[in-house]
Amino acid sequence: MVTAAPSRTAPRRTARPRARSVRHLGPNWYASAMGTAVVATAGAGLPFGVPGLRTVCTAFWALALAVLVVLLLARAAHWTHHRDQAVTHLLDPATAPFYGCLSMALLAVGGGALVVGRDWIGTPAAVALDAVLFTAGTLIGLTAAVAVPYLMVVRHRVDATQVTPVWLLPLVAPMVSAALGPLLVPHLPAGGPRETLLLACFAMFGLSLLATLLMLPMIFARLVTGGPLPLALTPALFLVLGPLGQSTTAVATFAVAAPGVVPAPYDQGFVVLAVLYGVPVTGFALFWLALAGAMVVRARRRGMGFTMTWWAFTFPVGTRVTGAEGLARHTGLVVYEGLAVALFLLLLVAWSVAAAHTARGLLSGRLLAPPPRAPLALAPPPVPVV
């Protein structure tokens, strides 16, 4: 009896189980770190002092930092062991915009370090951490703001029916830098360094604002002419609140940082801008909040289940809280203080629901499972989640 010689070719090793578990972990997961960090910064700025609130906010920041570290490690494993999937995400017009979430997660956690994290780690460590995360987040955000639209023009093939608020994500990232950068201004040497950073943040404000104004008409036209978004994507309508709230927050922080940094009368011009810009944009944001809320209620009644898109209820609403807080500071009106408190309560509810469902989905393995395969002829187009 002749036995076959053993093969000289070693069997190909498959990815380790832990590596396989992150194959379907997309850049949209950074939204959970963003949504957790904004609870900390939004809560710390509330006009009404609540005993123990700052400690709770600092705990939220610490949780956001832990989530960010875990996600950075998991995404590094994703790129190491599943580069094919990572490249596929980058070349997919439905997924590529989520690379803006990496920038915003870094920026949100870094800004939170200066707002509340310094209570636990000290001001020097908070400044150092924010400087690193702000620099990295800004560079990544500016890269994404250019690279993703470039890919959409030269590589992606999209039409009007594929327009969603997700397209705003890489464009909003520079606005987050603009809103959080002024926190570092007082920690720089007086004179040129402070003015340079503040005006650089103002330039990123303009970059993001004008790009957003180009995109918003496309999103609204898609809704009016194409009908409601797919159920799983409906929460993404809340993403429109992101640039609205973050830009209102940005002009408010400019007004705080400008005195003594930029010469008169430009320093007072920032104070005027905070009110003249923030008030009308807040009005439009409340209109959009009502419209998006009504669409979410409709989708829920039609069977909308949980996906990671539910994290869109957190960070954008949080930016509206910080924007209302800024208006309350510069106008002294109680109505904006009340608006900030009401929106913060909405933010807490949204975060609690999204976090609970995410934890349940991770424990069951459903959120990291491969998407179900449908027959080729009947397979629907992929639906991105945030």
Side-chain angles (χ1 to χ4, degrees):
M1 178 177 172
V2 179
T3 58
S7 174
R8 295 182 180 180
T9 303
R12 184 178 181 180
R13 294 184 179 181
T14 58
R16 291 176 296 177
R18 289 184 179 180
R20 288 200 301 269
S21 67
V22 299
R23 177 169 177 79
H24 302 284
L25 182 76
N28 55 304
W29 277 77
Y30 286 113
S32 59
M34 296 160 51
T36 304
V38 80
V39 175
T41 53
L46 289 177
F48 306 118
V50 177
L53 177 60
R54 189 170 179 87
T55 301
V56 172
C57 291
T58 309
F60 267 97
W61 171 80
L63 176 60
L65 177 61
V67 170
L68 176 62
V69 170
V70 170
L71 287 175
L72 288 174
L73 294 175
R75 287 287 297 165
H78 177 85
W79 272 93
T80 300
H81 298 286
H82 305 289
R83 188 174 298 273
D84 61 325
Q85 185 78 353
V87 173
T88 298
H89 286 166
L90 192 59
L91 298 180
D92 181 2
T95 307
F98 288 106
Y99 276 89
C101 291
L102 168 58
S103 167
M104 291 185 280
L106 294 170
L107 293 165
V109 173
L114 274 183
V115 175
V116 293
R118 56 189 173 89
D119 293 352
W120 287 4
I121 65 175
T123 299
V127 172
L129 178 61
D130 188 28
V132 172
L133 295 182
F134 175 80
T135 302
T138 298
L139 292 176
I140 293 172
L142 291 174
T143 301
V146 176
V148 174
Y150 174 82
L151 288 174
M152 295 178 74
V153 172
V154 303
R155 293 294 300 271
H156 301 162
R157 293 294 177 263
V158 296
D159 55 51
T161 63
Q162 295 174 281
V163 177
T164 73
V166 170
W167 288 13
L168 288 170
L169 289 172
L171 305 179
V172 178
M175 187 67 79
V176 180
S177 293
L180 295 175
L183 296 176
L184 283 169
V185 168
H187 301 281
L188 293 178
R194 293 185 180 183
E195 185 175 1
T196 299
L197 177 57
L198 183 60
L199 293 183
C201 291
F202 194 36
M204 289 187 286
F205 166 85
L207 181 162
S208 181
L209 176 63
L210 295 178
T212 298
L213 292 178
L214 291 175
M215 190 65 66
L216 282 179
M218 298 175 60
I219 295 172
F220 191 72
R222 156 65 182 84
L223 294 174
V224 173
T225 60
L229 295 177
L231 296 183
L233 266 179
T234 302
L237 290 171
F238 273 67
L239 294 176
V240 175
L241 296 176
L244 303 177
Q246 204 64 274
S247 60
T248 306
T249 303
V251 293
T253 57
F254 295 157
V256 173
V261 174
V262 296
Y266 302 113
D267 57 345
Q268 294 305 308
F270 280 111
V271 178
V272 174
L273 178 64
V275 177
L276 295 186
Y277 175 87
V279 171
V281 170
T282 296
F284 179 75
L286 292 176
F287 152 75
W288 192 270
L289 176 62
L291 176 63
M295 297 295 289
V296 168
V297 171
R298 173 188 177 276
R300 185 63 173 165
R301 289 176 174 175
R302 284 163 172 74
M304 180 187 74
F306 174 77
T307 64
M308 289 297 286
T309 51
W310 284 33
W311 281 100
F313 297 139
T314 56
F315 189 77
V317 173
T319 66
R320 283 306 328 150
V321 177
T322 55
E325 291 168 350
L327 282 175
R329 183 184 309 114
H330 293 296
T331 65
L333 294 178
V334 177
V335 64
Y336 289 116
E337 295 179 349
L339 177 62
V341 173
L343 290 173
F344 182 71
L345 294 176
L346 176 62
L347 172 62
L348 286 180
V349 172
W351 183 89
S352 300
V353 173
H357 280 282
T358 301
R360 188 179 300 118
L362 284 173
L363 291 175
S364 67
R366 183 180 66 86
L367 287 180
L368 294 177
R373 294 185 178 181
L376 184 60
L378 301 177
V383 176
V385 293
V386 67

